[in-house]
Amino acid sequence: MTLTLTVSDEVRTLAPTFTHLLVEARGLVNGPSDEASSALLDEAARRLAERLDGRSPDQDPHVAAWRAAYTAFGTKPSRTRNSAEALARRALADGGLPRINRLVDAYNAVSVAHLIPVGGEDLGRVRGAMSLVRATGDEPFVTMAGGVETIEHPEPGEVVWRDEEGVTCRRWNWRQGPRTRIDDDTTDAFFLLESLAPMTRDELLAAGRELAESLEKLSPGARITVGDPE
């Protein structure tokens, strides 16, 4: 069954150029980061440095567009950075990009190389349809604090991804919850690539296809579907 994703009219009004692309993958083989997934991250960091040519990530037009979108729903983009900017900053720092696991490394590499927010969720842990909405403030968000599971709530008006059980990612693409995240046991997953103008639909699709190619190399035989930009 194909996952259903919807974007609320309130979010469309807030960011009229918002476009997303869904990559679904089944039969994946995950595990700890290895030489192949690390190579993807190293190459992505190289491409990022070439793209920025000495500029900071916030000077890239696509990152600047995300900063404007965050400001529009009341979040300070320098304090809670979108996932693409946060990863790019880590890629340029001395410590470099973190190694998480093979699947997360693959989508982080695409995020850094294309300077686009990319998220991944375990399909088996998602409850019903996914939707991008402006929060009421009552939605539960399961997270960890000091090693203990706790429940937070988004701020009213905050843009969040949620399923039928609660919020899966706060402040659009800033902070993912542990309930649905990809771990070493994940075999079925979906990956969400999110763009704003000036990124074009063709550029978004190219990033999605690159992710699919990386997943196929890491998990030969996996069934991967790249959707249309919406």
Side-chain angles (χ1 to χ4, degrees):
M1 180 182 296
T2 300
L3 180 71
T4 299
L5 295 179
T6 60
V7 179
S8 72
D9 290 341
E10 286 184 315
V11 174
R12 292 289 188 195
T13 298
L14 178 74
T17 68
F18 173 68
T19 308
H20 65 276
L21 183 147
L22 179 67
V23 177
E24 286 193 62
R26 301 175 188 274
L28 295 165
V29 178
N30 200 14
S33 301
D34 59 13
E35 184 176 340
S37 68
S38 290
L40 293 174
L41 292 170
D42 290 340
E43 175 61 12
R46 185 199 65 77
R47 290 165 63 185
L48 173 70
E50 184 178 90
R51 171 175 176 154
L52 292 176
D53 192 25
R55 297 175 298 153
S56 60
D58 59 284
Q59 293 176 297
D60 182 88
H62 194 222
V63 173
W66 276 106
R67 282 180 154 246
Y70 270 46
T71 299
F73 70 82
T75 293
K76 294 182 178 180
S78 294
R79 187 174 63 187
T80 54
R81 296 186 174 96
N82 71 83
S83 62
E85 181 180 354
L87 270 179
R89 287 177 176 273
R90 294 192 71 172
L92 297 171
D94 290 341
L97 288 164
R99 271 57 175 169
I100 308 298
N101 58 53
R102 285 158 54 87
L103 298 181
V104 174
D105 291 352
Y107 77 73
N108 279 349
V110 169
S111 176
V112 168
H114 293 265
L115 266 182
I116 179 175
V118 183
E121 308 278 7
D122 189 307
L123 272 169
R125 297 171 184 159
V126 173
R127 300 293 174 255
M130 295 285 298
S131 56
L132 185 66
V133 300
R134 300 198 71 173
T136 64
D138 296 326
E139 301 90 343
F141 176 71
V142 178
T143 187
M144 302 295 291
V148 178
E149 186 175 289
T150 185
I151 295 178
E152 298 178 351
H153 299 277
E155 299 171 2
E158 182 181 324
V159 177
V160 298
W161 278 104
R162 64 160 300 161
D163 64 6
E164 293 177 5
E165 192 169 309
V167 172
T168 58
C169 193
R170 286 197 58 187
R171 294 177 188 164
W172 213 318
N173 45 46
W174 165 66
R175 183 177 169 200
Q176 182 188 31
R179 175 170 63 88
T180 57
R181 70 184 173 196
I182 291 171
D183 62 21
D184 286 358
D185 297 324
T186 296
T187 57
D188 299 337
F190 78 87
F191 305 87
L192 188 66
L193 294 78
E194 302 178 284
S195 70
L196 297 167
M199 178 173 268
T200 67
R201 293 170 68 89
D202 285 346
E203 289 170 333
L204 174 60
L205 188 56
R209 287 173 174 164
E210 181 177 320
L211 175 57
E213 290 174 3
S214 295
L215 295 173
E216 288 168 353
K217 290 177 181 177
L218 294 174
S219 296
R223 304 179 303 280
I224 301 170
T225 303
V226 179
D228 294 323
E230 298 182 22

